[in-house]
Amino acid sequence: MVFVKWQAVKKIGGYVVILEVAILDVKSGKEKDFELVFARAQQIIAGMDGYISHQLQRCLEKAGRYILLVNWQTLEDHTQGFRQSAEYQQWKALLHHFYEPFPEVEHYELVY
Amino acid sequence: MVFVKWQAVKKIGGYVVILEVAILDVKSGKEKDFELVFARAQQIIAGMDGYISHQLQRCLEKAGRYILLVNWQTLEDHTQGFRQSAEYQQWKALLHHFYEPFPEVEHYELVY
């Protein structure tokens, strides 16, 4: 899922890589369930047009906190292609009930 | 700086990779200065023991916002090795005056 050479993708691929960042706060006691469900759910994004790679990482300082990092070929691959798809409805049904509060998602572009 | 195969590092390196995450809010109008100074400052972390790779990314939605992602071999390489070093004093002098508010830094470990 995450075998990506960043600079190589950015330059050789001929498109600008966009990094989606979401800090996810999972309801207390639901962390293991979330990780199990995410293992399935990640196959949904991995199959979308414009998807490059992703990582889910667990916070060491704050229980229940995760960060989701997804690389997309373009901003629209995430905001339009994915979010307006039928697959997004599945993603939402699987994952959204774990979050409290509901996460804010931001997009970033590589500086260095 | 960022030619890392994540899973490969995690498995072959024989240590747990720790991801340092800092959302950086730079004072309005200081963004270009910050980027120029960061270009120099990044050489400081890149030379530290336990440093693996880093990225600085610019937020598309919020002006002046950046995310700094640094991979370290261990948590202590960042929290002790780097933060208690003379090099950290240089890093601090170069960069900390750009931030408002002062960023909270968190550490993460890979789930998927």
Side-chain angles (χ1 to χ4, degrees):
Chain A
M1 297 294 174
V2 280
F3 289 82
V4 173
K5 294 188 181 185
W6 297 89
Q7 299 288 18
V9 167
K10 186 170 165 99
K11 287 176 187 164
I12 299 169
Y15 43 72
V16 177
V17 175
I18 293 296
L19 177 66
E20 170 196 349
V21 176
I23 306 282
L24 307 172
D25 285 308
V26 168
K27 292 174 189 167
S28 181
K30 294 290 183 188
E31 294 87 350
K32 286 291 156 211
D33 286 354
F34 167 69
E35 292 184 16
L36 282 170
V37 172
F38 191 90
R40 273 198 295 145
Q42 66 186 348
Q43 298 169 32
I44 298 173
I45 42 169
M48 299 304 297
D49 282 351
Y51 164 90
I52 297 169
S53 64
H54 75 276
Q55 299 171 38
L56 179 74
Q57 301 234 14
R58 189 192 300 115
C59 187
L60 301 184
E61 287 88 6
K62 187 165 178 188
R65 176 163 287 185
Y66 296 82
I67 190 168
L68 173 62
L69 301 169
V70 188
N71 280 280
W72 297 96
Q73 289 183 19
T74 68
L75 179 63
E76 293 71 26
D77 284 327
H78 178 227
T79 57
Q80 296 174 25
F82 180 48
R83 283 194 180 148
Q84 295 173 18
S85 68
E87 288 87 344
Y88 181 72
Q89 297 306 316
Q90 291 178 269
W91 170 268
K92 197 173 144 175
L94 285 169
L95 295 174
H96 283 195
H97 62 93
F98 284 110
Y99 307 141
E100 196 170 77
F102 192 75
E104 201 176 331
V105 175
E106 292 176 327
H107 300 88
Y108 290 81
E109 59 184 356
L110 193 62
V111 182
Y112 304 113
Chain B
M1 296 295 173
V2 280
F3 290 82
V4 172
K5 295 189 181 185
W6 297 88
Q7 299 287 19
V9 167
K10 188 170 162 99
K11 286 176 186 164
I12 298 169
Y15 42 73
V16 177
V17 175
I18 293 296
L19 177 66
E20 171 195 350
V21 176
I23 307 282
L24 306 173
D25 286 308
V26 168
K27 292 174 188 167
S28 181
K30 294 290 182 187
E31 295 86 351
K32 286 292 156 211
D33 287 352
F34 167 70
E35 291 183 17
L36 282 171
V37 172
F38 191 90
R40 272 198 296 146
Q42 65 186 349
Q43 298 169 31
I44 298 173
I45 42 169
M48 298 303 298
D49 282 351
Y51 164 89
I52 297 169
S53 65
H54 74 277
Q55 298 171 40
L56 180 75
Q57 301 233 14
R58 188 192 301 112
C59 187
L60 301 185
E61 287 88 7
K62 186 165 181 189
R65 176 163 287 186
Y66 297 82
I67 190 168
L68 173 63
L69 302 169
V70 188
N71 281 280
W72 297 94
Q73 290 183 19
T74 68
L75 179 63
E76 293 71 26
D77 284 328
H78 179 228
T79 57
Q80 296 174 26
F82 180 49
R83 283 193 180 150
Q84 294 174 17
S85 67
E87 288 88 343
Y88 182 73
Q89 297 305 316
Q90 290 179 268
W91 170 269
K92 195 172 146 177
L94 284 169
L95 295 175
H96 283 195
H97 62 94
F98 284 109
Y99 307 141
E100 195 171 77
F102 192 74
E104 201 176 330
V105 176
E106 291 176 328
H107 300 87
Y108 289 81
E109 58 184 356
L110 193 62
V111 182
Y112 304 113

